[in-house]
Amino acid sequence: MLNTRVLGVVASVLIALIIGLVTPFTGLPQQGHWILATVIVTLGFWIFRPGGLPFMAGGSLLLAGCLIFGLKYNVVAAGFISPAVWVLIPALYFGFVLQKTGLGKRIAYLVLKSFEPSWLSMAVSWFIIGIALSALTPSITVRIAIVMPIAVSVVEACKQAPHSKGSAFITIVAWAMCLFPGTGWLTGSLTGPIMLGFLPAELKGMATFDSWFQILALPWLLITVIFIVLIYITMRPKEAIGIPRDTFRAQYAALGPVTRDEKVAIAILIGSLIMFTTEKMHGIPTAAVALMALALLIIFKIITVPEVSTGVNWDVIMFFGVAISLSPIFVNAKVSDWIVPILQPNLMSLAENPLSFLLVTTFGIMAIRFIDVPWGFSTIALTVPILIPVFNQFGIHPLVASMAYIVGINFFLLSYQQPFTLMAEGMMQGKGWAPHHVTLAGVSYIVAVIVALLISMPYWRMIGVIR
């Protein structure tokens, strides 16, 4: 009997064939229909992944299909020459170095041992750890790989039963701090390079490190803090945390003295962060700084020759490269020309009021994420050209308008909607949260987003990025 994953792929193939053969969309050329059909098949493989197929299977089908249906190589592979990918690749190696050297674990225990254990100090510790690790690597995957085993050990040390409020509080806050804080600056999470890759060429120059931080640091700080407060209110157990401070001191001491590799790694990573934040002064692009840092890590043998091929997940790199290519693919196949006039009248009427525009588009992206599971990337690629008239006619800065997409990337209400949730659950092996805790945390995230948008509007108006 066919399982649901196979049936999901079969359904996507059937829908794609109908679109390609029947050409049901008025105004969309034949090539556009077939390109749209190819994307639907790709999404079927990415969402359902029958037999655990890697993302590369769907990505290869997309690239091949676009070439078969007449697009040029420079269009189909545009994502792989985007600066976003050349920030992404070194960034993933940064994360590998944090894991390999033990630097990430050392930072986490250094923070944990600095506070007298309590439920409040636990939340504050995870917040600080999240910011520190975000500053050193944009790889959320690596941050989760470092933090979640520590979170599980804290759950066990506190003698919290699996799926209890205490275990959910510890693990959900730890997980969220891997995801949210770094979104506030360009290299704090992979969301930055990815959105840079999706933006139309006319708008890319507006997404610098400085502009990203100036526009998005405040709302994402608010989202993070409000989320922590809501989780603290809803999930914090009534009883004391019940763990002595010496527990974390002993675990830190067990790491031993700081090694030569840790010292070199921290120097290179902090140096990179300084270069990222001072781009206006020296003019060296973010991608160039990231690549220089990667070269230094290899030269100093923090990354060895065998680890060049094994240190990062090349399937993930392939996925992001293909996903970023969707924007030029849709433009060249005239799919964007077809969809923008359909969306533009309603969105343009909303754009007269920036708050209404952001709230409607944000909730729209959240709703689409129930279907567009791989972070909503295909939806972003399809609709991002609308940001050009939104900026030209109404003065809404592309990074302000991108809040809807970024919120959608981090959105979750059910575990399947957020691949990073599934990753964390696999690592915890049932020792953390229960499904209803994920939904409660998702509702807390939505509330935090709404409050952050309301507070950010006057700030954005003050700094001149909305009218």
Side-chain angles (χ1 to χ4, degrees):
M1 183 176 178
L2 292 175
N3 62 36
T4 54
R5 291 180 179 273
V6 174
L7 288 174
V9 172
V10 171
S12 69
V13 171
L14 291 176
I15 293 170
L17 286 173
I18 293 171
I19 291 174
L21 296 173
V22 179
T23 60
F25 302 122
T26 303
L28 182 63
Q30 178 73 62
Q31 185 190 45
H33 276 89
W34 280 114
I35 294 300
L36 199 56
T38 303
V39 171
I40 289 172
V41 173
T42 301
L43 284 176
F45 276 89
W46 281 350
I47 293 170
F48 298 104
R49 302 182 71 182
L53 286 175
F55 286 117
M56 191 175 292
S60 298
L61 285 174
L62 177 64
L63 299 182
C66 290
L67 291 171
I68 290 169
F69 295 117
L71 294 182
K72 303 297 185 184
Y73 283 95
N74 63 333
V75 173
V76 173
F80 294 95
I81 60 171
S82 165
V85 168
W86 296 104
V87 173
L88 169 70
I89 294 173
L92 291 176
Y93 278 109
F94 293 173
F96 167 73
V97 166
L98 282 181
Q99 278 185 287
K100 175 191 173 182
T101 62
L103 180 59
K105 184 181 291 187
R106 185 177 297 278
I107 291 169
Y109 279 122
L110 179 64
V111 174
L112 287 169
K113 79 181 185 68
S114 301
F115 294 90
E116 189 67 36
S118 69
W119 295 114
L120 179 59
S121 69
M122 182 63 61
V124 172
S125 295
W126 288 131
F127 175 67
I128 295 171
I129 291 166
I131 291 177
L133 294 181
S134 298
L136 298 178
T137 175
S139 174
I140 296 170
T141 300
V142 168
R143 298 203 289 259
I144 289 175
I146 291 169
V147 164
M148 295 317 296
I150 297 174
V152 170
S153 70
V154 173
V155 168
E156 293 173 342
C158 294
K159 296 181 172 56
Q160 296 295 312
H163 298 175
S164 65
K165 289 180 69 173
S167 64
F169 175 83
I170 293 167
T171 54
I172 283 178
V173 173
W175 173 84
M177 295 309 98
C178 295
L179 207 66
F180 299 154
T183 310
W185 63 94
L186 182 63
T187 58
S189 83
L190 295 181
T191 303
I194 294 305
M195 278 309 305
L196 177 62
F198 277 126
L199 286 175
E202 300 93 321
L203 304 178
K204 284 188 190 295
M206 303 179 72
T208 63
F209 188 100
D210 289 345
S211 62
W212 187 288
F213 187 84
Q214 182 187 36
I215 295 169
L216 296 178
L218 175 63
W220 281 100
L221 175 62
L222 291 170
I223 289 170
T224 303
V225 172
I226 294 167
F227 179 85
I228 291 174
V229 170
L230 292 174
I231 297 300
Y232 184 79
I233 292 171
T234 57
M235 295 187 192
R236 172 179 55 92
K238 293 180 181 179
E239 65 275 8
I241 195 168
I243 181 173
R245 185 172 183 173
D246 288 345
T247 301
F248 297 130
R249 288 176 174 171
Q251 289 170 326
Y252 182 82
L255 297 175
V258 179
T259 65
R260 172 259 184 194
D261 284 1
E262 287 178 273
K263 292 176 182 176
V264 173
I266 195 69
I268 293 173
L269 295 178
I270 290 178
S272 301
L273 181 63
I274 293 171
M275 293 290 285
F276 291 151
T277 58
T278 56
E279 183 177 343
K280 273 190 176 180
M281 297 172 59
H282 54 69
I284 301 174
T286 300
V289 172
L291 289 166
M292 288 168 60
L294 175 58
L296 289 173
L297 289 170
I298 296 171
I299 290 169
F300 283 98
K301 297 188 178 180
I302 308 300
I303 298 172
T304 63
V305 173
E307 291 165 345
V308 170
S309 59
T310 62
V312 299
N313 188 333
W314 288 95
D315 184 47
V316 170
I317 294 170
M318 174 75 169
F319 169 67
F320 281 112
V322 171
I324 293 171
S325 299
L326 283 170
S327 290
I329 286 171
F330 283 145
V331 169
N332 282 268
K334 309 300 182 186
V335 177
S336 295
D337 290 345
W338 165 70
I339 196 69
V340 167
I342 296 173
L343 298 175
Q344 189 162 333
N346 291 329
L347 290 177
M348 289 298 102
S349 64
L350 287 171
E352 294 180 2
N353 184 322
L355 178 59
S356 298
F357 173 80
L358 275 179
L359 288 174
V360 171
T361 53
T362 297
F363 277 101
I365 296 295
M366 285 181 180
I368 290 169
R369 285 283 281 104
F370 282 88
I371 301 171
D372 193 355
V373 177
W375 292 287
F377 287 168
S378 58
T379 300
I380 297 172
L382 188 61
T383 59
V384 76
I386 202 76
L387 299 189
I388 299 173
V390 165
F391 172 68
N392 290 335
Q393 295 180 36
F394 297 99
I396 300 177
H397 194 285
L399 292 182
V400 174
S402 293
M403 263 299 285
Y405 295 132
I406 299 168
V407 166
I409 290 172
N410 285 342
F411 172 70
F412 64 99
L413 202 58
L414 302 170
S415 290
Y416 84 91
Q417 293 173 295
Q418 184 52 258
F420 292 127
T421 306
L422 298 175
M423 176 186 173
E425 288 177 346
M427 297 180 69
M428 292 187 297
Q429 297 182 340
K431 297 178 180 178
W433 57 68
H436 71 275
H437 291 130
V438 174
T439 301
L440 180 58
V443 172
S444 299
Y445 173 68
I446 294 171
V447 172
V449 166
I450 294 171
V451 175
L453 288 177
L454 292 173
I455 296 175
S456 298
M457 294 307 297
Y459 166 73
W460 285 332
R461 191 167 280 113
M462 181 184 70
I463 63 174
V465 293
I466 59 173
R467 293 176 185 169

